[in-house]
Amino acid sequence: MTVDRLLLETADRAFTDTCTHAAIQAAERDGWAPAIWDTAAGIGLPWIGVPDAAGGAGGTVSDGVAVLGVAGRHAAPIPLAETGLLAGWLLASARLPIGSGPGTVVPGRAEDDLRLAGGRLHGTAHRVAWARAAERIVALVDDKVVAVVPSAARIEPVANLAGEPRDTVVFDGVAVDEVADAPPGIDGDALLFRGALTRAGLMAGALLAMSELTVEYTSERRQFGQAVGRFQAVQVHLVRCAEEAALVDLAVQVAAREADRGDARFEIASAKLLADDAARVATRAAHQAHGAIGMTQEYALHHLSRRLWAWRAEYGDRTWPERLGRAVIDAGPDALYRVIAEGSASGIRT
């Protein structure tokens, strides 16, 4: 499936105009970026990949993930993934209204203890992205999709390494705004894979931007009468950064394409694993090529570096090598070629 170039160009213009260095710094300080959200929402970007019939903006999962890549390139500090491809997906799957404002989703961590009792939600959810700014919080609880108004809950502000809100939300008998049975196939594991795909999409964009920024800097910075990028020792870092970015970008495109076709668990797990590893390798290479300037608040590299490491830790990091390795072992040696060549279509259970 081919992503519409006009869609990506429109998203790029929107984020280029709004995601300035100062705007991102302010968002990390304030926990919200209203101007960036209003611009993105005004052209429907948060709801790309959610069906028209459910109130979304239409398009495919590939479209939505590609837009996330653009957002990742610009370090856009808004709940783009949470509103559409996560909360919107859950609500649309359960035939519930998706709303018109920023939404978020409970990622479903092991330490959460949410439960429904008498039509009210009890318990605590952790690391809920932008809960303080969302109009609705969506969660999977007791095989049901539920939506609640954040103002009815107690929100304890927390941020991730990138300064993005990852709040703790306490539901003390909160009345549920919407509730419906989760349809077959919509469960905590499906949410884990969906979340991993969104984070891999964001990371693919951030890696591409990191590679381009590093090439640009080493082309301008001069030592001993020439650009530092001409030194072989620096070129090693440039190549390493570029190859990691290209590899993850391709893996994410394949994973999103297969998600549009059906089961894409093998491809999503592979893409997230590659993105997690690339965050470590590419960040090290980029900072080696930049030197000390890469660590300063006044330079954009730290926006990308901190987001890569923050997104790496979300929706599984250590999970994916173990799950992929176990799945390949269970499939057996005779199935190895089919698994590599066909991915999820080979029948492998990831």
Side-chain angles (χ1 to χ4, degrees):
M1 297 181 181
T2 304
V3 176
D4 187 346
R5 300 305 305 175
L6 180 59
L7 169 65
L8 301 185
E9 290 170 4
T10 301
D12 188 62
R13 282 198 298 272
F15 291 130
T16 298
D17 291 342
T18 56
C19 292
T20 63
H21 190 90
I24 296 171
Q25 293 287 98
E28 292 185 11
R29 181 193 63 223
D30 301 337
W32 186 231
I36 299 173
W37 170 263
D38 289 345
T39 300
I43 53 178
L45 295 182
W47 300 280
I48 298 290
V50 180
D52 293 320
T60 63
V61 174
S62 294
D63 292 330
V65 171
V67 170
L68 288 183
V70 179
R73 290 176 70 96
H74 292 275
I78 55 173
L80 203 65
E82 285 71 21
T83 299
L85 288 178
L86 296 176
W89 163 69
L90 285 176
L91 292 168
S93 299
R95 300 182 181 278
L96 294 174
I98 65 169
S100 57
T104 191
V105 66
V106 174
R109 298 174 62 89
E111 61 267 38
D112 294 352
D113 60 352
L114 298 186
R115 66 190 186 283
L116 282 170
R120 292 183 174 274
L121 187 59
H122 301 263
T124 302
H126 301 83
R127 313 296 293 178
V128 182
W130 283 280
R132 71 190 77 166
E135 290 187 0
R136 287 200 300 176
I137 300 174
V138 179
L140 271 170
V141 186
D142 300 337
D143 298 325
K144 296 183 183 300
V145 177
V146 302
V148 300
V149 178
S151 59
R154 178 162 56 85
I155 297 176
E156 300 170 359
V158 181
N160 65 11
L161 181 64
E164 298 173 322
R166 295 294 186 269
D167 301 324
T168 299
V169 186
V170 180
F171 301 95
D172 187 12
V174 172
V176 173
D177 192 39
E178 304 276 358
V179 61
D181 291 335
I186 302 297
D187 55 23
D189 210 41
L191 176 60
L192 174 65
F193 275 86
R194 189 86 168 190
L197 179 58
T198 67
R199 291 306 182 267
L202 288 165
M203 294 170 77
L207 286 163
L208 288 168
M210 175 178 278
S211 176
E212 293 168 2
L213 188 65
T214 305
V215 170
E216 181 181 338
Y217 174 77
T218 56
S219 298
E220 295 176 353
R221 180 84 168 90
R222 300 183 69 82
Q223 284 284 354
F224 307 111
Q226 61 181 338
V228 296
R230 294 182 63 85
F231 293 104
Q232 191 172 29
V234 176
Q235 290 174 349
V236 169
H237 297 309
L238 301 182
V239 170
R240 178 60 57 85
C241 202
E243 65 185 9
E244 292 291 337
L247 178 63
V248 172
D249 185 48
L250 179 60
V252 168
Q253 289 184 43
V254 171
R257 182 197 67 196
E258 293 306 305
D260 280 317
R261 293 175 174 174
D263 182 17
R265 291 189 168 215
F266 181 81
E267 289 79 6
I268 292 173
S270 300
K272 184 62 163 61
L273 188 156
L274 290 170
D276 290 349
D277 193 53
R280 175 181 58 83
V281 175
T283 301
R284 181 171 58 193
H287 282 266
Q288 287 279 1
H290 273 87
I293 191 174
M295 302 298 292
T296 63
Q297 284 285 326
E298 291 75 20
Y299 190 65
L301 184 60
H302 77 95
H303 286 154
L304 301 168
S305 303
R306 290 186 292 112
R307 277 161 180 77
L308 282 171
W309 280 83
W311 296 335
R312 179 180 189 265
E314 296 178 342
Y315 292 102
D317 48 1
R318 298 175 183 175
T319 302
W320 303 114
E322 181 179 344
R323 289 188 70 146
L324 275 174
R326 176 56 56 192
V328 170
I329 291 171
D330 291 346
D334 293 340
L336 183 59
Y337 180 78
R338 281 199 65 198
V339 168
I340 294 172
E342 302 175 14
S344 296
S346 68
I348 187 172
R349 301 300 303 168
T350 306

